[in-house]
Amino acid sequence: MEERTRSCLLRNRSALEQDIKTSYIMDHLISEEVLNLEDEQNVKVQATQKERAALLIDLILQKDNYAVISFYNALLNEGYKELAGLLQDGLPIISTSIKSSIDGLTPYVQTVLCEGGVPQRPVVFVDRPELLQTIRSELFNLEMEPGWITLCGMAGCGKSVLAAEALRNHRVISECFPGGVHWVAVGKQDRAGILVKLQNLCSRFNQGSQTYLNPPLNIEEARDRLRFFMTRKYPRSLLVLDDVWDNWVLKCFDVQCRVLITSRDRSISEAVAGNKFLILVQSGLSNDKGLEILARFVNLKVSCLPDEAHSIVQECKGSPLVVSLIGALLREFPNRWAYYLKQLQGKQFKRIRKSSSYDYEALDEAMAISIEVLEKDHREYYKDLSILKKDVKVPTKVLCILWEMDVEEVEDILQVFVNKSLLFCDRNKRSFRYYLHDLQLDFLTEQNHDQLMDLHVKMVHQYQKTYKNGFPSPDEDSIYWYSFLADHMAKANLKKELYSLMFSMDWIKAKTEVMGPAQLINDFVEHRHVLDEENSTVRENFQEFLSLKGHLLVQKPFPDIVQLGLCQPDSSEVYRQAKLKAVEKAQYGAVYLEWINKTTLQNSSSLVVQLHCDAVFHACFSHDGLKIASCGADKTLQIFKSETGEKLLEINAHDDEVLCCAFSPDDKLVVTCSSDTKVKIWNSITGRLIHTYREHEEQVNCCQFTHSQHNLMLVTCSNDTLVKTWDLKGSNCKNTLFGHMEPVNHCTFSPDDQYVASCSNDGTVKLWDARSGNEWKSIDVNEQCRVSDDDEEVLLKCCLWLSDGTQILAAAKSTLFIYDVSTGDMITELAISRYSNIQSCDISPTRPLLAVALSHNSVELWDMESQKRVADCSGHLSWVHCVQFSPEGSKLLSSSDDQTVRLCEINKVHSSSAVSLVQCMDAIFQQGDMFVLVSDNRKCLQLINGNTGNVMYQSNVQDSHICCCCLNQHTNLAAFGCGDGILKVGMKSAKFVLQNIGWKRQKFQKSLLVAIGLEKGVVKVLEFPSGKTIKTLTGHTNSVQRCQFTHHEQTLISSSDDATIRVWNWHTGACKVLEGHTERVKNFKLLRGSQLLSWSFDGTMKVWNFATGEMVKNFDCHDGAVLSCDVSPDGSKVVSASADKSAKIWSLRDSMPPIVLAGHNACVRSCRFTWDNEYLATGDDNGEIRIWRVKDGSLIHICPNDVEIKDSKHGGWVTDLRFSPNSKILVSIGGYIKWWDVNTGESLQTFYTNGTNLKSIHVSSDFKTFVTIDNIGILYILKMIN
């Protein structure tokens, strides 16, 4: 040993002796032949932990440089990174003379493998140099380009150990995989399980980075994210997929990277494309290697083993697992060679797995013997492991709860099992995790099958005993309970406990906060039949809630799930539980809002069809609109009636998932394409197979016929990067279209069938001549949209021709791009969602309406002309893959992972694309009554009862768009009808009159004055309920943006984009013009007396006497437009907020210079004083709110404060602010609505609207009612829960 290395070890000896647990360290040292079993025994007999550590260090000091390296790696593996760091500077450099078994193993390699989750060597390890060299040679094939290496062999042959060992080589890691190694234990999984694996992998990649704030919501999104990480952040890294059972799993990880697979299926990689290499692992160890394992266990030379050793190896069939089990027994009982041979030859367990293709008898015998020699208590503990899940590593803490023991006691018991090869331990993390080999678990569950239910009951009861007052803390050791508690309850047949858990908002909150909604949705699906025995409606309530709100339940900070639950229908169990919790918490000052008018949103689904037993990837209408074809993961094609859902035809169409289907123009044929690389043409009436095309080499993603039956053609595209056209006259394709460099996701004919458009993962849209197959034009979306090399590549999911064929639309992630076909120039870019990705889109054939399927389970409708979202079609319970309009445009179908196809009536989508509100509104609150005045997209006014959300009255259609509206809050002409039919008119509120004269309340009506400002510059005064125009006021030359009645009954004030303000006597039509602004007037505010304050895009504020028309004061405020102003309640100050990123406080009573409020990094768009004149708030376009002290302009708080995770802050611009009367709470709007504690700057509540871009909010004087409209025209009347 080098002197500096020895000195370093001695210098840090005290710290090492104090902390390390020798039993785990010695396992590594023994496996790497630094220590032998005799050394281990000498250490174990020491009385205390410190004495054991001291002797271990003495032994290392007696050895060579390699011993210190091995000791250092063991410390890293066991989580002692700080102690390993003490030895870092003294580490020797291992020369090439070191023994071959550790050739190339360096601290660098050990660190890379540890961080990547690569399993450690087993307790006793024997080298298999020829096989390892073969694996490493194949790994070098991945040095320069991606590919797939499959390590194939029967269960128990040591595939995982060999894969891990092949990577313990400095040259392999440094030359081939400098980006690291990332190990994923896959096992037998469903789609939800694979999503969790992908989420965990993406989370590992994203650690220490803000690239992604939220986990991916579905497998496609996760795969795109994984592609970004593997190509941009971790290039030339290796992904190891251990124990893969199904080939569809590989598609989920198919991101053109370097992959090593272990599997029992040698054809597993046929489902994916790329370079492929196969390594077959013989079913057993050679006789010599088997003897070597036994020799190491008993600490003898191979030549000294008894004759029975050869027979034992033969009986073990060469299985490393079985040989290790027998070796562990012989280490403890070295004189039982003949006895264990006899036991193996007895074959008493022959009956257990007779149906298996693999000989498990030797394993069963070895397992039985190994369990038999355990102490009685240990046998019971080992039996408890029968209920573990395959491929799940269980933290020590879980077994501490199961056995009611301290960590040290549990680890001592488990170490006995590990030493006997009955259990495996993963020590990559601070907390150890234990697992059984699949074959061992199979043996245990078979042997204890009649006790499994009782064991699950025990697990559940121990959990309940430990966590009787709540749920586990959200740490890594507790994730097991969140993942598998429901499964334990179901298998224990504890139905009431399962109902209580799954139908609990507390559990929904706890689990989604730790793991997100995907796995919880899967729990409802998996345990559906049990839960439905209790109440299928409640199960649907919770599943629908998770599906529709899942995109919010992955945000940071985690949203208030009670508030989200309050937005569910009143009949929902989710709402009932949320309301109870909200009322309880409100008593202690918590803020919760009831959405009063949510019942006005209609369910748009007219038909829900479930014919598939797995995800539905695509659905399409026939051209006559009478039939629908659908296809999916169950490999079938279904055809059914569009009106009733009646099944017409079911075809077992392909050998793998069917990804797309389409009708021919005459509806007589239907085409399907699949992951099995085939394209098939079927008779849509009889189901007879007409053609099968096999020219694609990889999965075929899309297939489409021409629009016309004349010169009928078909186009397909595939992951093989090719687009192909077919004329259906022969068995071969007509043209192969070369040009894309990555998988092609979508293809479609132009409206006149002259061209084909295709889009690809290479970020391009290519336009081809349909007849010749020549490339006509290529549009590089990727090049135009990526700002820097660190940006994600633009992976195009779908492309669509607009109806006239002059424009083409392409969808990538959450954005739509529209291009001019003739020039290739981008016309517009439309950001669809801040939460999720676009899966599919379609354009209505009859109107400029776009349907978009999003990964957060919803379908949205967008108006192409206004580029605004006009509707949100909810209903699917999982990811939506496809949308398509009916031929006449009245219906929209969608297909989803929830196994359903849904049809929506376009004109019934809540406030709908037919009639939607616009963000022009006013509201009045009087003695418990509330009225909301809004305009809609038909140029009508609606008067809405704020207590019910129902439309009371509606005006006639106006001749110009309504830009603003207002109610006369000072003159309420109340008309009441009584039994004698006489109409009486008064100047009081309806409620006041009723209380004083005793008229029946249900018979009253109110007559209200309303003013509107129109786009063409006209102001009108209307009377409700008749809706008649009383007066039309002309004079403005541009759009009227604001109008307001004054306290004087006959005075109405309006401001316009023509830079003027007009003061009208609306009875006579006379007006005064307030001229002085040089640009558009942004807004105005009435002051005391006959004064008003106006502000403009010209950067000025002005104070006017509107009775005389004179300008009283002029403030040259800012270098940019003044976007907002507010006057302090005492009338002494005014604050201005500007596009120049500043705000200023001005005095209205003297000429003192303003107080400048600097610090915002974007346009300051809103401002508001508190009612006590002490503070004011400003909000900017970055979503940031600042609270200032008025007297000196000092900054008090920034909201959200630095403690919060700033997930897009306010979801957009902060456009309005309002304080409570006691100045303690602030409400703000932007992308959603938030309430803040003024004293602390902390968020009190967030209300997530369906749409975004809220413009203004109206608040009642008691700060209990809030009214606003989002950008898709949904009205929100919110009441604070007392």
Side-chain angles (χ1 to χ4, degrees), residues 46-282:
Q46 301 301 310
T48 67
Q49 176 181 307
K50 188 170 183 179
E51 290 173 350
R52 289 192 289 272
L55 180 55
L56 176 61
I57 293 172
D58 285 338
L59 291 171
I60 293 171
L61 286 167
Q62 296 169 20
K63 303 196 180 279
D64 56 11
N65 284 340
Y66 170 66
V68 179
I69 290 290
S70 183
F71 180 55
Y72 171 83
N73 290 333
L75 290 173
L76 283 177
N77 261 353
E78 298 305 326
Y80 297 112
K81 292 185 179 179
E82 296 84 357
L83 295 178
L86 298 176
L87 305 181
Q88 183 84 43
D89 294 338
L91 288 177
I93 299 174
I94 300 179
S95 70
T96 55
S97 62
I98 298 297
K99 57 193 97 175
S100 62
S101 64
I102 52 88
D103 184 32
L105 184 64
T106 62
Y108 162 72
V109 171
Q110 194 70 34
T111 301
V112 168
L113 301 187
C114 179
E115 291 176 349
V118 178
Q120 293 85 24
R121 284 172 175 156
V123 176
V124 172
F125 170 78
V126 292
D127 204 6
R128 299 160 79 173
E130 292 182 3
L131 195 49
L132 285 174
Q133 185 56 44
T134 300
I135 299 171
R136 285 172 180 158
S137 296
E138 299 293 11
L139 288 171
F140 273 99
N141 287 327
L142 303 184
E143 180 179 1
M144 301 308 297
E145 56 184 347
W148 307 80
I149 298 175
T150 302
L151 191 58
C152 176
M154 300 303 293
C157 69
K159 301 183 296 295
S160 301
V161 173
L162 285 166
E165 191 61 28
L167 297 171
R168 291 189 176 92
N169 183 282
H170 186 86
R171 185 167 167 241
V172 168
I173 299 300
S174 61
E175 295 183 16
C176 298
F177 313 115
V181 177
H182 313 285
W183 189 285
V184 180
V186 179
K188 187 71 174 174
Q189 298 285 348
D190 57 15
R191 291 182 179 275
I194 290 300
L195 176 59
V196 172
K197 299 282 185 185
L198 282 163
Q199 287 174 331
N200 292 339
L201 184 61
C202 290
S203 176
R204 189 194 305 175
F205 285 142
N206 201 43
Q207 281 183 352
S209 168
Q210 291 297 312
T211 305
Y212 295 100
L213 295 173
N214 302 320
L217 290 170
N218 61 44
I219 287 176
E220 288 194 15
E221 189 176 344
R223 183 172 57 209
D224 289 347
R225 191 171 299 186
L226 183 61
R227 179 184 287 109
F228 171 73
F229 282 126
M230 297 294 280
T231 57
R232 295 282 169 184
K233 298 296 185 182
Y234 299 93
R236 295 184 62 200
S237 58
L238 178 69
L239 183 62
V240 185
L241 303 179
D242 186 31
D243 193 22
V244 180
W245 286 62
D246 303 295
N247 57 13
W248 66 264
V249 171
L250 296 189
K251 298 176 190 175
C252 301
F253 292 89
D254 186 5
V255 294
Q256 289 81 52
C257 65
R258 297 157 173 82
V259 185
L260 173 61
I261 309 159
T262 71
S263 178
R264 307 176 193 188
D265 181 1
R266 63 185 298 169
S267 64
I268 195 77
S269 64
E270 290 182 1
V272 292
N275 300 316
K276 300 173 187 176
F277 309 93
L278 177 64
I279 304 168
L280 296 177
V281 180
Q282 60 185 4

Side-chain angles (χ1 to χ4, degrees), residues 15 104 115 159 357 413 706 716 748 825 884 929 1027 1126 1210 1225 1235:
E115 291 176 349
K159 301 183 296 295
S357 60
I413 293 171
T706 50
T716 60
T748 182
D825 295 334
Q884 189 183 80
D929 290 332
D1126 190 38
H1210 215 302
I1225 300 177
W1235 286 258

Side-chain angles (χ1 to χ4, degrees), residues 153-159 264 283 319 358 360 437 439:
M154 300 303 293
C157 69
K159 301 183 296 295
R264 307 176 193 188
S283 59
S319 167
Y358 184 69
Y360 290 107
H437 192 284
L439 301 179

Side-chain angles (χ1 to χ4, degrees), residues 831-849:
I832 295 295
S833 172
R834 66 174 183 264
Y835 296 123
S836 60
N837 293 339
I838 299 168
Q839 305 290 87
S840 173
C841 55
D842 193 31
I843 297 176
S844 169
T846 58
R847 61 181 110 175
L849 197 62

Side-chain angles (χ1 to χ4, degrees), residues 634-704:
D634 61 4
K635 309 175 188 177
T636 69
L637 170 70
Q638 306 280 352
I639 298 178
F640 55 93
K641 292 182 179 179
S642 61
E643 287 296 323
T644 64
E646 177 188 346
K647 183 194 291 188
L648 299 174
L649 195 63
E650 178 177 354
I651 303 173
N652 293 316
H654 288 268
D655 299 324
D656 206 337
E657 298 172 337
V658 188
L659 302 178
C660 187
C661 58
F663 282 98
S664 61
D666 62 3
D667 293 331
K668 293 179 180 179
L669 305 177
V670 64
V671 61
T672 58
C673 61
S674 166
S675 294
D676 65 7
T677 75
K678 299 172 188 173
V679 179
K680 296 185 179 184
I681 308 289
W682 310 85
N683 184 304
S684 65
I685 307 299
T686 66
R688 181 175 65 88
L689 178 62
I690 298 173
H691 288 300
T692 299
Y693 301 122
R694 295 182 171 87
E695 291 194 25
H696 283 294
E697 296 181 356
E698 298 179 32
Q699 77 174 32
V700 187
N701 295 315
C702 183
C703 52
Q704 296 290 331

Side-chain angles (χ1 to χ4, degrees), residues 485-513:
L485 179 58
D487 186 67
H488 284 304
M489 287 179 172
K491 290 177 178 175
N493 201 32
L494 297 173
K495 295 182 180 180
K496 289 185 178 180
E497 286 83 351
L498 183 62
Y499 304 151
S500 178
L501 182 77
M502 296 294 290
F503 296 161
S504 161
M505 285 292 285
D506 292 331
W507 174 250
I508 301 299
K509 176 184 184 298
K511 181 161 182 173
T512 51
E513 193 164 6

